[in-house]
Coordinates of all heavy atoms in Angstrom, one line a residue:
E109 N 271.0 71.2 -116.7 CA 270.6 72.3 -115.9 C 269.3 72.9 -116.3 O 268.5 73.4 -115.4 CB 271.7 73.4 -116.0 CG 273.0 73.0 -115.4 CD 274.2 74.0 -115.6 OE1 273.9 75.0 -116.4 OE2 275.3 73.8 -115.1
F110 N 269.0 72.9 -117.5 CA 267.7 73.4 -118.0 C 266.5 72.6 -117.5 O 265.5 73.1 -117.0 CB 267.6 73.5 -119.5 CG 266.4 74.1 -120.1 CD1 266.4 75.5 -120.4 CD2 265.2 73.4 -120.3 CE1 265.3 76.1 -120.9 CE2 264.1 74.0 -120.8 CZ 264.1 75.4 -121.1
L111 N 266.7 71.3 -117.5 CA 265.7 70.4 -117.0 C 265.5 70.5 -115.5 O 264.4 70.4 -115.0 CB 266.0 68.9 -117.4 CG 266.0 68.6 -118.9 CD1 266.5 67.2 -119.2 CD2 264.5 68.7 -119.4
Q112 N 266.6 70.7 -114.8 CA 266.5 70.9 -113.4 C 265.8 72.2 -113.1 O 265.1 72.3 -112.1 CB 267.9 70.9 -112.8 CG 268.5 69.5 -112.8 CD 269.9 69.5 -112.2 OE1 270.7 70.5 -112.4 NE2 270.4 68.4 -111.7
K113 N 266.0 73.3 -113.9 CA 265.3 74.5 -113.7 C 263.8 74.4 -113.7 O 263.1 75.2 -113.0 CB 265.8 75.6 -114.6 CG 267.2 76.2 -114.3 CD 267.6 77.2 -115.3 CE 269.0 77.8 -115.0 NZ 269.4 78.8 -115.9
I114 N 263.3 73.6 -114.6 CA 261.8 73.5 -114.7 C 261.2 72.5 -113.7 O 260.0 72.2 -113.8 CB 261.4 73.1 -116.2 CG1 261.9 71.7 -116.5 CG2 261.9 74.1 -117.2 CD1 261.4 71.2 -117.9
G115 N 262.1 71.9 -112.9 CA 261.6 71.1 -111.8 C 261.9 69.6 -111.8 O 261.5 68.9 -111.0
L116 N 262.7 69.2 -112.8 CA 263.0 67.7 -112.9 C 264.2 67.4 -112.1 O 265.1 68.3 -111.9 CB 263.2 67.3 -114.3 CG 262.0 66.9 -115.1 CD1 261.1 68.1 -115.4 CD2 262.4 66.2 -116.5
T117 N 264.3 66.2 -111.5 CA 265.4 65.8 -110.7 C 266.2 64.7 -111.4 O 265.8 64.3 -112.5 CB 264.9 65.2 -109.3 OG1 264.1 64.1 -109.6 CG2 264.0 66.3 -108.6
V118 N 267.3 64.4 -110.8 CA 268.2 63.3 -111.4 C 267.4 62.0 -111.4 O 267.5 61.2 -112.4 CB 269.4 63.1 -110.6 CG1 270.2 61.9 -111.0 CG2 270.3 64.4 -110.7
D119 N 266.5 61.8 -110.4 CA 265.7 60.5 -110.4 C 264.8 60.5 -111.6 O 264.5 59.5 -112.2 CB 264.9 60.4 -109.1 CG 265.8 60.1 -107.9 OD1 266.9 59.6 -108.2 OD2 265.4 60.5 -106.8
D120 N 264.2 61.7 -111.9 CA 263.3 61.8 -113.1 C 264.1 61.5 -114.4 O 263.5 60.9 -115.3 CB 262.7 63.2 -113.2 CG 261.8 63.5 -112.0 OD1 261.2 62.6 -111.4 OD2 261.8 64.7 -111.5
M121 N 265.3 62.0 -114.5 CA 266.1 61.7 -115.7 C 266.4 60.2 -115.8 O 266.5 59.7 -116.9 CB 267.4 62.6 -115.6 CG 267.1 64.1 -115.7 SD 268.6 65.1 -115.6 CE 267.9 66.6 -115.0
N122 N 266.7 59.6 -114.7 CA 266.9 58.2 -114.7 C 265.7 57.4 -115.1 O 265.8 56.3 -115.6 CB 267.5 57.7 -113.3 CG 268.9 58.0 -113.1 OD1 269.7 57.9 -114.1 ND2 269.3 58.4 -111.9
E123 N 264.5 57.9 -114.7 CA 263.3 57.2 -115.1 C 263.1 57.2 -116.7 O 262.6 56.3 -117.2 CB 262.1 57.9 -114.5 CG 261.9 57.7 -113.0 CD 261.4 56.3 -112.8 OE1 260.7 55.7 -113.6 OE2 261.8 55.7 -111.7
Y124 N 263.6 58.3 -117.3 CA 263.5 58.4 -118.8 C 264.7 59.1 -119.3 O 264.7 60.3 -119.6 CB 262.2 59.2 -119.1 CG 261.9 59.1 -120.6 CD1 261.4 58.0 -121.2 CD2 262.1 60.3 -121.4 CE1 261.2 57.9 -122.6 CE2 261.9 60.2 -122.8 CZ 261.4 59.1 -123.4 OH 261.1 59.0 -124.7
P125 N 265.8 58.4 -119.4 CA 267.1 59.1 -119.8 C 267.1 59.6 -121.2 O 267.9 60.5 -121.5 CB 268.1 57.9 -119.7 CG 267.5 56.9 -118.8 CD 266.0 57.0 -119.1
L126 N 266.1 59.1 -122.0 CA 266.1 59.6 -123.4 C 265.8 61.1 -123.5 O 266.1 61.7 -124.6 CB 265.1 58.8 -124.2 CG 265.4 57.3 -124.3 CD1 264.3 56.6 -125.1 CD2 266.7 57.0 -124.9
M127 N 265.3 61.7 -122.5 CA 265.0 63.2 -122.5 C 266.3 63.9 -122.7 O 266.3 65.1 -123.2 CB 264.3 63.6 -121.3 CG 265.1 63.6 -120.0 SD 264.2 64.3 -118.6 CE 262.9 63.1 -118.3
L128 N 267.5 63.3 -122.3 CA 268.7 64.0 -122.4 C 269.2 64.1 -123.8 O 270.2 64.7 -124.1 CB 269.8 63.3 -121.5 CG 269.5 63.4 -120.0 CD1 270.5 62.5 -119.2 CD2 269.6 64.8 -119.5
G129 N 268.6 63.3 -124.7 CA 268.9 63.4 -126.1 C 268.2 64.5 -126.9 O 268.3 64.7 -128.1
C130 N 267.3 65.2 -126.1 CA 266.5 66.3 -126.8 C 267.3 67.6 -126.7 O 267.8 68.0 -125.7 CB 265.2 66.5 -126.1 SG 264.1 65.0 -126.2
S131 N 267.3 68.3 -127.8 CA 268.0 69.6 -127.9 C 267.1 70.6 -127.2 O 265.9 70.7 -127.3 CB 268.1 70.0 -129.4 OG 268.5 71.4 -129.4
V132 N 267.8 71.4 -126.4 CA 267.0 72.5 -125.6 C 266.4 73.5 -126.6 O 265.2 73.8 -126.5 CB 268.0 73.2 -124.7 CG1 267.3 74.4 -124.0 CG2 268.5 72.3 -123.6
R133 N 267.1 73.8 -127.6 CA 266.6 74.8 -128.6 C 265.6 74.3 -129.5 O 264.6 74.9 -129.8 CB 267.8 75.4 -129.3 CG 267.4 76.5 -130.3 CD 268.6 76.9 -131.2 NE 268.2 78.0 -132.1 CZ 269.0 78.4 -133.1 NH1 270.1 77.7 -133.4 NH2 268.6 79.4 -133.9
K134 N 265.9 73.1 -130.1 CA 265.0 72.5 -131.1 C 263.8 71.7 -130.6 O 262.8 71.6 -131.3 CB 265.9 71.7 -132.0 CG 267.0 72.4 -132.8 CD 267.8 71.4 -133.7 CE 268.9 72.2 -134.4 NZ 269.7 71.2 -135.2
N135 N 263.9 71.2 -129.4 CA 262.9 70.3 -128.9 C 262.2 70.9 -127.6 O 261.0 71.1 -127.6 CB 263.4 68.9 -128.6 CG 264.0 68.2 -129.8 OD1 265.2 68.1 -129.9 ND2 263.2 67.7 -130.6
I136 N 263.0 71.0 -126.6 CA 262.4 71.3 -125.3 C 261.7 72.6 -125.2 O 260.5 72.7 -124.8 CB 263.5 71.2 -124.2 CG1 264.1 69.8 -124.2 CG2 262.9 71.5 -122.8 CD1 265.3 69.6 -123.2
I137 N 262.4 73.7 -125.6 CA 261.8 75.0 -125.5 C 260.5 75.2 -126.4 O 259.5 75.7 -125.9 CB 262.8 76.1 -125.8 CG1 263.8 76.3 -124.6 CG2 262.1 77.5 -126.1 CD1 264.8 77.3 -124.8
P138 N 260.5 74.8 -127.7 CA 259.3 74.9 -128.4 C 258.1 74.1 -127.8 O 257.0 74.6 -127.8 CB 259.7 74.3 -129.8 CG 261.2 74.5 -129.9 CD 261.7 74.3 -128.5
V139 N 258.4 72.9 -127.3 CA 257.3 72.1 -126.7 C 256.7 72.8 -125.5 O 255.5 73.0 -125.3 CB 257.8 70.7 -126.4 CG1 256.7 70.0 -125.6 CG2 258.0 69.9 -127.7
L140 N 257.6 73.2 -124.6 CA 257.2 73.9 -123.3 C 256.4 75.2 -123.6 O 255.4 75.5 -123.0 CB 258.4 74.1 -122.4 CG 259.1 72.9 -121.9 CD1 260.2 73.3 -120.9 CD2 258.2 72.0 -121.2
T141 N 256.9 75.9 -124.6 CA 256.3 77.2 -124.9 C 254.9 77.0 -125.5 O 253.9 77.7 -125.1 CB 257.1 77.9 -126.0 OG1 258.4 78.1 -125.5 CG2 256.5 79.3 -126.3
Y142 N 254.7 75.9 -126.3 CA 253.4 75.6 -126.8 C 252.4 75.1 -125.7 O 251.3 75.5 -125.7 CB 253.5 74.6 -127.9 CG 252.1 74.3 -128.6 CD1 251.5 75.2 -129.4 CD2 251.5 73.1 -128.3 CE1 250.2 75.0 -129.9 CE2 250.3 72.8 -128.9 CZ 249.6 73.7 -129.7 OH 248.4 73.5 -130.2
L143 N 252.9 74.3 -124.8 CA 252.1 73.8 -123.7 C 251.6 74.9 -122.9 O 250.5 75.0 -122.4 CB 252.9 72.8 -122.9 CG 253.2 71.4 -123.6 CD1 254.1 70.6 -122.7 CD2 251.9 70.7 -124.0
E144 N 252.5 75.9 -122.6 CA 252.1 77.0 -121.8 C 251.1 77.9 -122.6 O 250.1 78.4 -122.0 CB 253.3 77.9 -121.5 CG 253.0 79.0 -120.5 CD 254.3 79.8 -120.2 OE1 255.4 79.5 -120.7 OE2 254.1 80.8 -119.5
K145 N 251.2 78.0 -123.8 CA 250.3 78.8 -124.7 C 248.9 78.2 -124.6 O 247.9 78.9 -124.6 CB 250.8 78.8 -126.1 CG 249.9 79.6 -127.1 CD 250.5 79.5 -128.5 CE 249.5 80.2 -129.5 NZ 250.0 80.1 -130.9
I146 N 248.7 76.9 -124.6 CA 247.4 76.3 -124.6 C 246.8 76.1 -123.2 O 245.7 75.5 -123.1 CB 247.4 74.9 -125.3 CG1 248.4 73.9 -124.6 CG2 247.9 75.0 -126.8 CD1 248.4 72.5 -125.1
G147 N 247.5 76.6 -122.2 CA 246.8 76.6 -120.9 C 247.5 75.9 -119.7 O 247.0 76.1 -118.6
L148 N 248.6 75.2 -119.9 CA 249.3 74.6 -118.8 C 250.0 75.7 -118.1 O 250.7 76.6 -118.7 CB 250.3 73.6 -119.3 CG 249.7 72.1 -119.3 CD1 248.8 71.9 -120.5 CD2 250.9 71.1 -119.4
Q149 N 249.9 75.7 -116.7 CA 250.7 76.7 -116.0 C 252.2 76.4 -116.0 O 252.6 75.3 -115.9 CB 250.2 76.7 -114.5 CG 248.7 77.0 -114.4 CD 248.2 76.9 -112.9 OE1 249.0 76.9 -112.0 NE2 246.9 76.9 -112.7
R150 N 252.9 77.5 -116.0 CA 254.4 77.3 -116.1 C 254.9 76.5 -114.9 O 255.8 75.7 -115.0 CB 255.0 78.7 -116.2 CG 256.6 78.6 -116.3 CD 257.1 80.0 -116.4 NE 256.8 80.7 -117.7 CZ 257.6 81.0 -118.6 NH1 258.9 80.8 -118.4 NH2 257.2 81.6 -119.7

Side-chain angles (χ1 to χ4, degrees):
E109 291 174 355
F110 187 93
L111 292 172
Q112 289 175 333
K113 282 182 181 180
I114 64 174
L116 273 68
T117 63
V118 170
D119 291 337
D120 299 324
M121 297 177 200
N122 280 324
E123 285 289 328
Y124 190 74
L126 297 180
M127 70 174 69
L128 295 173
C130 296
S131 166
V132 174
R133 181 188 183 194
K134 296 178 180 179
N135 300 104
I136 301 177
I137 287 181
V139 169
L140 295 183
T141 304
Y142 182 70
L143 292 176
E144 186 180 358
K145 178 183 176 182
I146 61 177
L148 266 74
Q149 297 179 15
R150 184 180 289 245

